[in-house]
Amino acid sequence: MKYVFVLIFGCSFVAAISSFRSVEDTFVRVDISEEISVSLPESFKVMTADQMQQKFLSARPPLAAYTSANQVADFSVSAANTRWRADDLPMLKDFYRSSLLELYDEVDFIEEGIREVDKTQVAFFEFTSVVKQDEDAITPKPPVHRYTYAQYTIRQNKALVFTFSCPRQRQSQWQPIAQKVMESVKLK
């Protein structure tokens, strides 16, 4: 009887521990375009037109957008229409940093800078943000807390924007995956 208890306890312990590890262990290379590819968790799927309309409040849709199986984490690639020269990356970084500070009510930068990813210079921001309820809103809503990893580079005189985001309460689960995704970006 004692051995049955130990066996049941051991199996329960292993199941509990494995539930904390990420289910996103397998990555697959995805071609965004002929020039852009990235490794994403195997469970990520292309967003439908309806999902993109709900998640991206922009007149210009992203080049590509993917979401996790439970639609909690999202990855997108966009191209900005603004023209940039290849050596403008430090200025682009400052421009987007200012934009992020204006876009959200609160921003807490975890890490930011310029680094090399696959022989390409990129500006990056890893941060948490809060968008508060509009005080004049008829229906009160709680603030929206997000974790985001955004990466920017200049290609053919346009800014390419890579964004990974999820709810802040899921940050510990998705942050290592976001970092791995961003490190996997390849530009031809």
Side-chain angles (χ1 to χ4, degrees):
M1 186 66 162
K2 179 178 175 183
Y3 295 108
V4 172
F5 176 74
V6 170
L7 182 63
I8 291 172
F9 177 76
C11 290
S12 298
F13 181 74
V14 169
I17 294 297
S18 64
S19 71
F20 289 110
R21 75 173 181 82
S22 173
V23 296
E24 306 296 341
D25 289 338
T26 306
F27 285 73
V28 294
R29 177 121 326 248
V30 175
D31 291 327
I32 305 296
S33 70
E34 289 182 15
E35 295 86 25
I36 306 167
S37 69
V38 63
S39 291
L40 292 175
E42 190 173 49
S43 65
F44 271 47
K45 303 295 179 215
V46 175
M47 280 189 194
T48 65
D50 287 342
Q51 288 171 325
M52 286 177 66
Q53 190 174 17
Q54 289 174 3
K55 294 191 181 211
F56 300 101
L57 305 173
S58 172
R60 187 182 182 125
L63 299 173
Y66 298 82
T67 190
S68 61
N70 59 3
Q71 299 180 22
V72 169
D74 301 320
F75 173 77
S76 66
V77 181
S78 302
N81 240 359
T82 312
R83 296 190 57 80
W84 295 91
R85 292 186 325 233
D87 59 350
D88 286 342
L89 192 61
M91 186 178 3
L92 178 137
K93 177 187 172 288
D94 292 343
F95 172 81
Y96 277 105
R97 187 180 201 285
S98 296
S99 296
L100 292 171
L101 291 170
E102 289 298 317
L103 185 61
Y104 302 102
D105 293 315
E106 296 174 22
V107 178
D108 182 20
F109 290 100
I110 299 166
E111 189 174 4
E112 64 180 286
I114 294 177
R115 65 186 177 133
E116 190 172 295
V117 173
D118 191 47
K119 301 175 190 161
T120 301
Q121 290 292 307
V122 299
F124 68 96
F125 300 97
E126 191 174 11
F127 61 95
T128 59
S129 61
V130 178
V131 175
K132 295 179 181 171
Q133 166 68 33
D134 182 3
E135 293 176 5
D136 298 328
I138 296 170
T139 307
K141 293 181 182 175
V144 177
H145 298 265
R146 305 268 319 154
Y147 161 77
T148 304
Y149 193 125
Q151 188 165 276
Y152 307 82
T153 193
I154 300 170
R155 195 65 154 194
Q156 299 172 348
N157 296 328
K158 294 189 180 197
L160 289 178
V161 183
F162 303 86
T163 309
F164 191 107
S165 67
C166 68
R168 189 167 69 192
Q169 65 265 29
R170 300 285 185 95
Q171 178 181 345
S172 62
Q173 175 190 3
W174 289 104
Q175 185 174 18
I177 293 166
Q179 292 167 342
K180 188 171 180 178
V181 167
M182 291 304 184
E183 291 169 3
S184 76
V185 170
K186 291 193 184 303
L187 301 171
K188 296 176 187 166

